[in-house]
Amino acid sequence: MARPQVVRGGTVFDGLGNPGRRQDLLIEDGVVTALLPPDAAAPDDAEVVDARECWVTPGFIDIHTHYDAELELLPALGESVRHGVTTVFLGSCGLSLAIGAPGELADMFCRVEGIPRSVVAPLLEAGKDWDGPASYLEHLDRLPLGPHVAALLGHSAIRAATMGLGRSLDARVRPSAKELAAMQGLLREALDVGYLGLSINTLPWDKMGGEEFRSRPTPTVFAGWSEYRALARLLRERGRVLQGVPNLSTKLNVLLFALLSAGRLRPALKTSLIALMDPIAGRGIHRLTGLILRLTNRLLGGDLRFQALPNPFDLWVDGLEVPVFEEFGAGTEALHLERPEERAALLRDPAYRRRFRRQWGDRLRGRAYHRDFARAHVVACPEAALVGKSFAEIAAARGRDAVDTFLDLAAEHGDALRWYTVVANDRPAELEWILRHPDILLGFSDAGAHLRNMAYYNFPLRMLRLVREGEKRGRPVMSIERAVQRLTGELAQWFGIDAGTIRVGGRADIVVVNPAGLDETVEQMQELPVVATPDPGAPPWADFGGLRRLVRRNDAAVRHVLIRGRMAWTAGALVPELGHERSFGGVLRATSG
């Protein structure tokens, strides 16, 4: 039996929104067994966890990740754990590994999420030992998980499994009554064993990879609303969640999601959408969306929420390798070509350039990306003199059109051209307005995806820093206790899982945050290998193709992380046992319905 632990000297925020209190925590066998006065007596053999001058919070919850593939290779998920995240959700955006053939799952997953197919396909071929929603959770239970995991069922996966991948990707085909019943059966199975709900995607610029169906939207996009409603009825009956991706270009089908969530004459449908932001391409849309949220929930009796990030939404891009180019046809046309020489030839073609320029500047069609070359700056390039300059500045110096200049550089240098831009949440006052909105769910890190484009693994720390800096300026965004609640207990309660609070009898998922470490270093970016030291003799794909991913790390901000009462992060390092022993995280199942 493990020694008792006492977390001593900290200010405890319980995740329920109560003000912080100086207390010590007694932990025995992975459970909080007492909340003690400061410096109270503890068992003689207790291990002391130093929390002096620190905040003690429940483990943070990341409600939107794409760790589905990574945890098969790296179940520690250390990039999240080191930032205090002790629970992650899988199965977002209609994507799931719960059912399907390995190659088809890789085709659905990899291009959309910016993960190498050369890694995911052989990984699944070698290790897939499940054949449906229930056996998938059993498989996850067998892994030496770092954080806890909870799962949504991906609509693309069950649609392809019941209709066949080709039919599921054909806009002319609707599922037969038998096929729809089979989808409903798979969803019932998932809900019975504790899935949080179902994820769907209506965004057509999320595209298939692989060869056979390359560049078609993923299967869930081809469904009609009658199909979505038929599946949503099961969720409504069970009090489970529908996670949805609206069409971010037009944004109009947010209203259809609002109507689907509406209650009054029926139970409200818990609906979580992606994502409430202040985009440069659509100033004010977040205010309108916030109004729709309030009206849906107050007047229509709905339970509609938007996920939101507490930080600017910024992107790093190698050449054209980023999903925002999928929102118009010429961008998809280029991304369809995987061979660098073929893509370069297309980018140099005059007819293609005319198509690209026309669609790039089309303001009649909605857009999510600002497409402003003055806001995109080169951060790495074989032409060193270009680093630090915007594409607009480079074009002006060359006496060239900005679109032509960008295509010139992308054709010449391919992925060696690396650039940076901010897409949304660049105005602090508007971001603070979003974070205070009562109908948001704090999260949307996309952890485990877009490894070369984004790094939001530490969003809880960025949230706490933002709130703390507001207090220091005398212009509070919200209280620290409310911020902690938004990162923990509020999420757990809404999704129906046992997590997110510090209470006697509760599981000891605990973070010790050093507020002095919440400084500007939480914003600093690094590029580090996904797998630092592959095991000797491991298969060639086990190093994640040698890929370097973006991370933000400031290890001084989190002093300790305990998962189920076991130390997972301390003294600036993950413990060696994390990801190797099955005594940290487990599968969390929905408790509602």
Side-chain angles (χ1 to χ4, degrees):
M1 183 177 294
R3 291 168 58 194
Q5 298 156 300
V6 57
V7 181
R8 194 177 289 288
T11 300
V12 175
F13 295 92
D14 61 9
L16 296 171
N18 294 312
R21 295 178 59 191
R22 286 290 308 281
Q23 289 179 307
D24 294 345
L25 305 182
L26 181 62
I27 299 171
E28 298 174 288
D29 296 326
V31 173
V32 177
T33 55
L35 302 176
L36 305 172
D39 300 317
D44 292 339
D45 62 340
E47 174 189 359
V48 176
V49 178
D50 181 14
R52 288 172 298 173
E53 300 182 354
C54 290
W55 301 336
V56 179
T57 77
F60 304 128
I61 300 172
D62 191 340
I63 64 172
H64 188 125
T65 83
H66 291 285
Y67 271 138
D68 312 54
E70 184 174 329
L71 66 79
E72 298 296 326
L73 184 62
L74 302 167
L77 301 184
E79 201 56 50
S80 287
V81 171
R82 71 190 307 135
H83 300 302
V85 174
T86 62
T87 299
V88 302
F89 291 3
L90 310 176
S92 294
C93 302
L95 303 170
S96 172
L97 301 184
I99 187 169
E104 292 184 355
L105 292 174
D107 288 351
M108 284 185 254
F109 194 82
C110 292
R111 178 168 168 183
V112 171
E113 302 305 338
I115 304 169
R117 190 184 188 281
S118 59
V119 173
V120 175
L123 179 65
L124 294 178
E125 291 283 359
K128 187 173 182 292
D129 61 357
W130 64 91
D131 59 4
S135 60
Y136 180 56
L137 288 197
E138 293 168 0
H139 163 78
L140 295 179
D141 267 325
R142 293 191 292 272
L143 295 178
L145 297 170
H148 306 289
V149 301
L152 295 151
L153 184 64
H155 182 222
S156 279
I158 63 172
R159 196 169 205 265
T162 55
M163 297 176 65
L165 184 58
R167 293 183 72 248
S168 76
L169 297 170
D170 190 333
R172 300 165 298 179
V173 174
R174 287 289 175 261
S176 66
K178 182 178 180 180
E179 289 166 339
L180 183 57
M183 279 187 250
Q184 291 173 315
L186 288 169
L187 179 56
R188 286 192 186 93
E189 176 187 332
L191 300 180
D192 286 345
V193 297
Y195 281 65
L196 305 177
L198 179 75
S199 67
I200 68 173
N201 188 351
T202 68
L203 181 62
W205 43 281
D206 280 353
K207 299 295 197 301
M208 295 284 293
E211 295 181 2
E212 186 176 7
F213 300 108
R214 186 172 179 81
S215 296
R216 295 191 194 181
T218 53
T220 180
V221 177
F222 289 93
W225 279 87
S226 60
E227 184 177 331
Y228 297 143
R229 286 193 293 269
L231 296 168
R233 277 197 294 272
L234 302 179
L235 303 173
R236 194 188 304 274
E237 292 168 2
R238 302 285 287 272
R240 303 290 175 83
V241 173
L242 177 71
Q243 184 208 75
V245 184
N247 188 331
L248 301 179
S249 293
T250 68
K251 306 173 183 67
L252 295 176
N253 70 354
V254 167
L255 298 175
L256 296 176
F257 280 107
L259 292 174
L260 192 59
S261 178
R264 294 298 183 202
L265 300 179
R266 59 184 180 178
L269 174 65
K270 286 187 172 183
T271 306
S272 170
L273 300 184
I274 303 158
L276 189 60
M277 299 185 192
D278 172 27
I280 293 171
R283 292 306 198 193
I285 190 67
H286 64 294
R287 295 274 183 166
L288 176 59
T289 304
L291 177 61
I292 292 171
L293 280 170
R294 289 278 71 199
L295 292 175
T296 300
N297 296 336
R298 286 195 166 189
L299 299 184
L300 300 182
D303 196 352
L304 179 65
R305 308 297 172 101
F306 262 80
Q307 298 173 23
L309 276 172
N311 48 262
F313 192 88
D314 50 4
L315 296 175
W316 280 255
V317 186
D318 296 325
L320 274 73
E321 293 294 337
V322 69
V324 295
F325 283 108
E326 302 274 24
E327 70 174 335
F328 61 101
T332 294
E333 192 178 346
L335 290 171
H336 180 80
L337 302 174
E338 292 187 279
R339 295 180 180 176
E341 64 276 12
E342 292 181 355
R343 186 179 293 180
L346 177 68
L347 298 183
R348 292 187 176 104
D349 179 70
Y352 172 79
R353 289 190 170 214
R354 288 193 293 271
R355 290 195 299 278
F356 187 100
R357 185 181 294 104
R358 182 176 64 253
Q359 294 172 20
W360 181 266
D362 185 356
R363 296 195 173 276
L364 295 179
R365 295 177 183 270
R367 60 174 67 177
Y369 177 51
H370 56 68
R371 305 185 196 175
D372 183 352
F373 282 121
R375 295 179 179 269
H377 292 77
V378 176
V379 295
C381 181
E383 298 181 59
L386 303 184
V387 173
K389 297 179 181 178
S390 73
F391 290 109
E393 290 170 334
I394 297 167
R398 294 182 175 186
R400 295 272 286 165
D401 173 77
V403 173
D404 282 326
T405 298
F406 172 75
L407 294 176
D408 287 342
L409 292 171
E412 178 69 21
H413 302 300
D415 289 353
L417 172 68
R418 189 152 173 77
W419 50 279
Y420 170 81
T421 192
V422 177
V423 176
N425 289 355
D426 57 313
R427 301 186 294 179
E430 297 304 308
L431 176 57
E432 292 169 9
W433 182 89
I434 290 171
L435 298 177
R436 286 192 294 265
H437 197 287
D439 300 320
I440 65 136
L441 298 169
L442 197 55
F444 176 47
S445 77
D446 257 5
H450 308 296
L451 303 179
R452 296 286 297 158
N453 300 134
M454 306 187 315
Y456 306 137
Y457 299 90
N458 71 339
F459 75 91
L461 302 182
R462 297 174 83 182
M463 175 68 175
L464 294 178
R465 177 175 187 253
L466 184 151
V467 171
R468 184 169 183 260
E469 290 298 309
E471 284 191 348
K472 288 162 65 176
R473 291 193 305 268
R475 190 170 60 85
V477 179
M478 65 184 70
S479 64
I480 298 296
E481 56 265 29
R482 176 59 176 146
V484 170
Q485 182 185 25
R486 301 221 85 167
L487 290 163
T488 58
E490 182 174 81
L491 301 173
Q493 187 277 328
W494 194 82
F495 281 96
I497 58 171
D498 179 16
T501 60
I502 294 175
R503 58 182 176 81
V504 173
R507 192 176 57 248
D509 299 330
I510 305 295
V511 183
V512 178
V513 177
N514 177 11
L518 296 172
D519 56 25
E520 66 280 356
T521 59
V522 303
E523 310 295 334
Q524 293 175 0
M525 184 67 73
Q526 302 176 59
E527 290 188 19
L528 297 173
V530 176
V531 180
T533 53
D535 293 333
W541 38 263
D543 70 345
F544 238 79
L547 190 70
R548 295 175 67 85
R549 72 164 148 206
L550 298 179
V551 297
R552 286 180 166 96
R553 291 182 180 174
N554 74 317
D555 294 340
V558 175
R559 186 176 293 180
H560 307 289
V561 179
L562 288 80
I563 300 175
R564 201 183 287 170
R566 187 167 184 188
M567 192 67 72
W569 165 269
T570 189
L574 298 166
V575 301
E577 299 83 5
L578 191 73
H580 299 282
E581 297 182 3
R582 291 178 53 209
S583 54
F584 294 92
V587 176
L588 300 186
R589 291 165 169 84
T591 57
S592 60

